[in-house]
Amino acid sequence: MKTVSILMLTAALQLATFWGTNGKLASKAPCRPGFSQSFYSVLISRDVLQGRSILQDSTVSSPKVSFDDCMANEGVVFQSSDPRFSIGADGSIYTQREVTSLTAPVQFTVTASGPHVWETTVKLALMGQPTPSPPGNQVTEEEGKGGERKEEEEVKAPPEFQAPPTVIMFPRQQEISSKGLRRQKRDWVIPPVNVPENSRGPFPQMLVSIRSDQDRNISIRYSITGVGADQPPNEVFSIDPVAGKMFVTKPLDRERRSSYHLRAHAVNMNGERVESPIDLYIYVIDMNDNRPEFKNQVYNGSVDEGSKPGTFVTHLAAFDHDDNTTANGMVRYRILSQTPHSPIPNMFTINSETGDIVTVAAGLDREKVSQYSIIVQATDMEGNLNFGLSNTATAIISVTDINDNPPELTSRTFSGEVPENRINVAVANLTVIDRDQPRSPNWNAVYRIISGDPIGHFTIITDPHTNDGMVTVVKPVDFEQNRAFMLTVVVNNQAPLASGIQSSLQSTSGVTISVVDINEPPFFPTNPKSIRFEEGVPAGTSLTTFSASDPDRFMQQSIRYSKLADPAEWLSINTTNGQIVTTATLDRESIYVKNNIYEATFLAVDNGSPMASGTGTLQIYLIDVNDNAPSLLPRESQICERINRNAGINITAADSDTDPNVGPFVFELPTFPASIRRNWTVSRLNGDYARLSLRIQYLKPGVYEVPVIVSDSGNPPLSNRSVIKVKVCPCDENGDCTLVGAVAAAGLGTGAIIAILICIIILLSMVLVFVVWMKRREKERQTKQLLIDPEDDVRDNILKYDEEGGGEEDQDYDLSQLQQPDSLEHIISKPLGVRRVDERPIIPESQYPIRPAVPHPGDIGDFINEGLRAADNDPTAPPYDSLLVFDYEGSGSTAGSVSSLNSSSTGDQDYDYLNDWGPRFKKLADMYGGGEDD
């Protein structure tokens, strides 16, 4: 019997209406990233053109395909699993081609990719197209005629809420009727399979059974493909290849993956496809298995004190991983507690859906309560405390300060005192009280003097730590003018007072400042004082009276004067009245006079307690008089021996005086001796210069002293006879004196000049020879090698001269007896560090450096120094110590004691042979040999 599947249009419409209603409910919930619905179903018209939107948010009757990632959807990309449809940036679905070719409803997946991946399913069907009923609604051939009518009348629940079909049949594409006509059989849309998450099993748990009506004739093998079957995560779903039963093999987690899209395949034993693949959509039903989670455990907010009810404070947000389109993911907020309870326990409230905390009552006062701690609870299941899961967070609310407390001075009057003529000194301290937040603009005090100080002698500086006002003197006060000041001071804050707050009467106070009289120094009314006198004033002349005044009018004090600075020691001052008298002649040309002004400094001291002093400067402008005769310049010069039109010596004069006692000058030659005017002449060039030249054609080379008389223009003029030394010499064609000529002019003959030149040449030759000899010697020193065999070079060998062998008689003598006793046991057994200083240490000998075979001469010194360094550090090298002891002869020595010997000459031995040994042994021969005296 043929099977027919029917999709009820009314069911689709009810599904759309249901999701639309849920979407409106979800929009009220807090923001949850993802699609507003997990499944969309809609009917479309056949006249939908390419590029036209199918689902639009603006249509109320159509379900909204809306998506929100709670971050303005920035960077979110939508994709469709069916290439015939595209997704717009706003979530609208568009056709890419005419949909008249869609002979059956289509179902595809829409994916949103961003920081995470979200999926939803969209089912589309053409209006007016018969939609077969789902499996299980099987009708016979006779009932087929009335099937279409029943399709329009029957109303079924949305497929999502039906129990999974027991058997899913593969649809047949074509069927031949009894009349021989070929007609298209209508396919059905397989409803999704709903599986609850976190199922406890037992597993594997059967979901559906898939079969083909051809399994009656041939053997069929069933398989499934897709994510969860043969794609990661693999083996979540499995199918019995023979029976076609599909199972879920493990618990599902909707928060990991909310849906699966599989395809069922049917093939024969040869692997040939016998049915077209069918799509299976498996949706994971959400369970309330996740608590709401706050983004932060502690939230910080602030609100101004005195805020009105309804003022926003802060926002809390909790996120539930469950489905936010169901009650499992709908979070509601409430306040559990408030600390402290002042002024009332419920100063704040929270929006149960948005998490916004606002004030609910007036009375916030930072000066009483500066911070509140609020515990907020977030509960899912729309806040149902019996079934929902909860979590808590803390909101710390700081009450920010406003300037609602004006500053108040602690006293109505303040007082202080200040010495006169003092500045930058604090004379009074103003204290203030302000209950606003310390060190804030609402607390910082600003003081102003509103009366009592018109000139501005005082200012008030605020101490940033204590907020006190320090009355400070900025301009000196004078006791003789003001003995006291009455100030009026007002205090405000940096920030203006809050609205409705009035200034306090205690913001204004009076300040009394008393001025203390002190002994002020005398002062010179005219300082510096200038006077004019001609230079040359004789000693004892009274110049002026330089007196000082005492500013202390209320003190009877006297002033005494003294000289503080007088560089030239020209002046003196009367100690009582300040009269200045000269003690020497004033000279304008003195080195102590600068720009015609001579300065002297005087001191005035009173007799107050303590004494005070002041200084004054006297400037004497010295008027020039003609008291200095001019002097000739230059003092020496030279000129050619023969007269030349342009030859001559330009001469001028120097005068220490100033105008009009200087130039123009008058130059002339004296009349005596007569040779001066006969050989020389002076011609005037201008007021300050003249030219001295030869009068005759030729003058013998030599040095001539030419006197010249110079007169200035003073009244009366002063003259001076000066002498200029002129060297007359032979000149070259350019008019310059030659070297020989200059020397000859100095008085040397030709022979003397030649001798000097020869001496210079000899001296230079000797220096050259010495330099060449030194360079050759240095070169030989660097290249010269040793001329002797290195083995015979005694400069780097250490020669030993400590062997004094006597002869054949002492060759067999055991010298070791002189160095150590017979036994070494008492030495070895000694503690470490306790040894005789004259014993040879029993330790390995040091290694001395080895001299190279062919040493370089420069290495000899280094080799000797290394050998000495090794010998100094060698404890075995004699002498063993700087202090040697020789009074120990050893125990059991084979030698007898030398004390047994005596100097007696008695005995049988004959010492007469000593007389034959020569004069060196004469003394011994006399002592023992019995010489000539016997």
Side-chain angles (χ1 to χ4, degrees), residues 192 209 239 298 342 412 471 637 697 763 868:
S209 179
I239 190 170
V298 178
S342 177
R412 298 293 297 172
V471 181
S637 185
Q697 294 295 326
L763 181 60
L868 290 176

Side-chain angles (χ1 to χ4, degrees), residues 228-247:
D230 60 344
Q231 300 178 18
N234 302 78
E235 300 179 354
V236 176
F237 302 96
S238 63
I239 190 170
D240 187 337
V242 177
K245 296 179 180 180
M246 191 175 76
F247 302 89

Side-chain angles (χ1 to χ4, degrees), residues 175-378:
E175 185 178 280
I176 301 177
S177 66
S178 59
K179 299 181 182 181
L181 298 176
R182 187 182 301 271
R183 69 183 180 91
Q184 185 77 23
K185 183 177 178 64
R186 294 166 292 177
D187 296 340
W188 67 75
V189 176
I190 304 302
V193 178
N194 296 316
V195 181
E197 66 172 333
N198 303 324
S199 175
R200 297 185 179 180
F203 296 101
Q205 181 179 0
M206 179 178 173
L207 299 180
V208 293
S209 179
I210 302 174
R211 60 178 294 268
S212 172
D213 56 3
Q214 297 189 39
D215 60 356
R216 303 173 184 175
N217 303 322
I218 59 175
S219 297
I220 303 297
R221 293 293 181 265
Y222 302 97
S223 63
I224 55 176
T225 60
V227 176
D230 60 344
Q231 300 178 18
N234 302 78
E235 300 179 354
V236 176
F237 302 96
S238 63
I239 190 170
D240 187 337
V242 177
K245 296 179 180 180
M246 191 175 76
F247 302 89
V248 59
T249 62
K250 61 182 69 174
L252 302 181
D253 188 356
R254 192 202 68 85
E255 286 69 43
R256 290 178 177 265
R257 192 173 185 87
S258 60
S259 64
Y260 297 86
H261 178 199
L262 304 177
R263 305 199 78 184
H265 305 270
V267 297
N268 57 20
M269 299 302 293
N270 295 327
E272 298 175 349
R273 188 176 72 176
V274 298
E275 299 285 359
S276 297
I278 60 174
D279 292 322
L280 297 177
Y281 292 92
I282 301 173
Y283 292 102
V284 184
I285 300 176
D286 182 47
M287 296 295 178
N288 190 20
D289 58 343
N290 291 279
R291 292 180 180 273
E293 295 180 0
F294 285 95
K295 294 181 180 180
N296 303 306
Q297 276 302 111
V298 178
Y299 290 82
N300 293 304
S302 62
V303 60
D304 290 340
E305 60 177 332
S307 296
K308 297 180 180 180
T311 303
F312 175 81
V313 178
T314 186
H315 171 75
L316 279 70
F319 178 74
D320 197 319
H321 291 279
D322 292 325
D323 188 359
N324 60 0
T325 62
T326 65
N328 296 336
M330 296 181 180
V331 180
R332 298 295 182 265
Y333 304 91
R334 71 189 187 101
I335 295 177
L336 294 182
S337 64
Q338 168 192 307
T339 304
H341 293 172
S342 177
I344 61 174
N346 301 317
M347 288 295 296
F348 305 93
T349 186
I350 188 171
N351 188 305
S352 61
E353 295 184 0
T354 63
D356 292 339
I357 296 179
V358 297
T359 59
V360 72
L364 291 173
D365 190 352
R366 189 204 65 84
E367 287 71 39
K368 295 180 179 179
V369 179
S370 61
Q371 191 179 82
Y372 291 89
S373 177
I374 296 177
I375 298 178
V376 178
Q377 183 185 59

Side-chain angles (χ1 to χ4, degrees), residues 330-526:
M330 296 181 180
V331 180
R332 298 295 182 265
Y333 304 91
R334 71 189 187 101
I335 295 177
L336 294 182
S337 64
Q338 168 192 307
T339 304
H341 293 172
S342 177
I344 61 174
N346 301 317
M347 288 295 296
F348 305 93
T349 186
I350 188 171
N351 188 305
S352 61
E353 295 184 0
T354 63
D356 292 339
I357 296 179
V358 297
T359 59
V360 72
L364 291 173
D365 190 352
R366 189 204 65 84
E367 287 71 39
K368 295 180 179 179
V369 179
S370 61
Q371 191 179 82
Y372 291 89
S373 177
I374 296 177
I375 298 178
V376 178
Q377 183 185 59
T379 306
D380 58 16
M381 297 298 293
E382 296 183 288
N384 191 322
L385 300 178
N386 296 325
F387 303 101
L389 302 177
S390 301
N391 212 336
T392 60
T394 303
I396 304 298
I397 301 175
S398 300
V399 182
T400 56
D401 183 50
I402 63 173
N403 194 11
D404 57 344
N405 293 281
E408 297 178 354
L409 291 165
T410 59
S411 177
R412 298 293 297 172
T413 59
F414 295 89
S415 62
E417 62 180 23
V418 56
E420 62 176 337
N421 301 322
R422 296 282 298 277
I423 61 172
N424 298 327
V425 59
V427 298
N429 190 48
L430 312 181
T431 55
V432 69
I433 296 176
D434 195 321
R435 291 183 294 273
D436 290 321
Q437 184 175 358
R439 295 171 182 81
S440 69
N442 299 329
W443 178 82
N444 295 336
V446 179
Y447 299 87
R448 291 185 300 112
I449 300 174
I450 58 177
S451 65
D453 185 22
I455 303 179
H457 290 285
F458 304 94
T459 188
I460 303 179
I461 302 174
T462 304
D463 189 324
H465 301 288
T466 63
N467 219 22
D468 294 345
M470 295 174 289
V471 181
T472 306
V473 183
V474 294
K475 290 183 180 180
V477 295
D478 190 356
F479 176 83
E480 285 71 28
Q481 295 181 0
N482 293 291
R483 298 188 181 187
F485 292 86
M486 303 296 296
L487 309 178
T488 302
V489 177
V490 64
V491 61
N492 296 304
N493 291 123
Q494 286 184 353
L497 291 175
S499 177
I501 305 299
Q502 300 295 328
S503 297
S504 173
L505 295 177
Q506 297 181 0
S507 298
T508 304
S509 293
V511 181
T512 302
I513 305 297
S514 300
V515 181
V516 179
D517 188 20
I518 63 173
N519 185 25
E520 300 178 75
F523 68 96
F524 292 88
T526 305

